[in-house]
Amino acid sequence: MPRTKEQNMAIRAEKRQLIMDTALQLFAEHGFESTSIERIARQAGISVGLLYSYFKSKDDLLEQILLSGIQKLMDNYRMGSTMREFLDGVEQSLDMILDNSEFFKLYSSLSMQPNVTPILGKLSDVFVARDNMVEMYKKYFGGKAVQELLLMAVIMKGFPIIALYGDIQHVFPIDTLKGVVMDCFMGRDEGVIDR
């Protein structure tokens, strides 16, 4: 009996995710530049031609991996109607970084590679524009919205580096680091009407 359209779509989605997961693992372990499409296909147990039927290029594959990971992060970091919902989103984002260390190690290392930076910049622009983050921050922080958004960007870029690569854990446990970040945001609620 032939497969249904839904079954074909599910199989296609599984195969696409397999390729992305395999590439993420290899990029994180060996670096983006050192990982070939052939190696990704071989590790995933598929042909190079099949891989190219899902992704146009290695850059496209990387972009889709990053887009997916950042989308998951941004889904946690939604502005709610209260400061508590905002803070819950921040906390969920920090937990996600810790729970998805492979992705965030890759993201952090790519941030330092000039040939990949344009892809990361393009993705950041998409999310800032899509979610209209400046307007959402104005809701919480009034005239300090841009400063607070930049502070959040610095924390979200720096937290994975310190938490996942740093040697500070032997002095300050991860929970302490997370607590400091949360305390920073809890003390920044001027301009918030509804907590």
Side-chain angles (χ1 to χ4, degrees):
M1 178 174 214
R3 288 187 289 237
T4 66
K5 182 178 177 181
E6 291 77 20
Q7 288 171 322
N8 284 331
M9 288 174 54
I11 290 168
R12 188 156 173 80
E14 286 175 24
K15 192 66 72 175
R16 185 175 192 278
Q17 192 61 53
L18 170 67
I19 294 166
M20 290 174 58
D21 291 345
T22 302
L24 171 60
Q25 176 195 3
L26 291 171
F27 290 159
E29 186 177 331
H30 302 287
F32 175 71
E33 292 298 328
S34 298
T35 302
S36 68
I37 286 288
E38 292 77 15
R39 187 175 195 175
I40 296 166
R42 187 174 52 251
Q43 184 82 19
I46 62 169
S47 70
V48 170
L50 182 61
L51 189 148
Y52 279 120
S53 75
Y54 287 89
F55 302 97
K56 295 180 281 194
S57 64
K58 187 166 82 165
D59 284 353
D60 178 45
L61 174 55
L62 174 64
E63 189 171 328
Q64 294 306 309
I65 290 168
L66 294 173
L67 187 64
S68 174
I70 293 170
Q71 177 66 55
K72 289 174 188 168
L73 180 66
M74 295 302 290
D75 286 346
N76 283 331
Y77 180 60
R78 293 274 186 236
M79 297 292 190
S81 59
T82 67
M83 181 55 109
R84 182 71 253 159
E85 289 172 340
F86 170 80
L87 293 172
D88 288 346
V90 171
E91 187 167 19
Q92 289 170 2
S93 296
L94 298 176
D95 288 338
M96 184 182 172
I97 289 168
L98 297 171
D99 293 341
N100 296 280
S101 61
E102 195 169 70
F103 173 81
F104 287 99
K105 282 182 179 180
L106 173 65
Y107 184 82
S108 297
S109 71
L110 291 173
S111 297
M112 316 279 182
Q113 298 178 31
N115 55 335
V116 180
T117 303
I119 295 172
L120 297 175
K122 184 170 97 177
L123 294 176
S124 293
D125 291 347
V126 166
F127 285 109
V128 168
R130 185 204 68 197
D131 291 334
N132 202 2
M133 293 182 78
V134 173
E135 290 304 314
M136 288 191 283
Y137 265 74
K138 283 181 182 175
K139 173 182 175 181
Y140 293 105
F141 302 108
K144 294 183 178 184
V146 172
Q147 293 93 324
E148 296 298 326
L149 184 56
L150 290 173
L151 175 64
M152 175 60 85
V154 167
I155 288 172
M156 289 307 195
K157 291 272 187 179
F159 181 82
I161 293 170
I162 294 168
L164 303 175
Y165 290 109
D167 58 357
I168 199 168
Q169 291 91 339
H170 71 280
V171 178
F172 300 108
I174 293 296
D175 287 342
T176 301
L177 175 62
K178 184 178 153 189
V180 168
V181 171
M182 292 307 299
D183 288 347
C184 175
F185 282 99
M186 284 185 214
R188 309 185 85 75
D189 60 357
E190 304 100 30
V192 179
I193 297 171
D194 182 14
R195 258 192 112 163

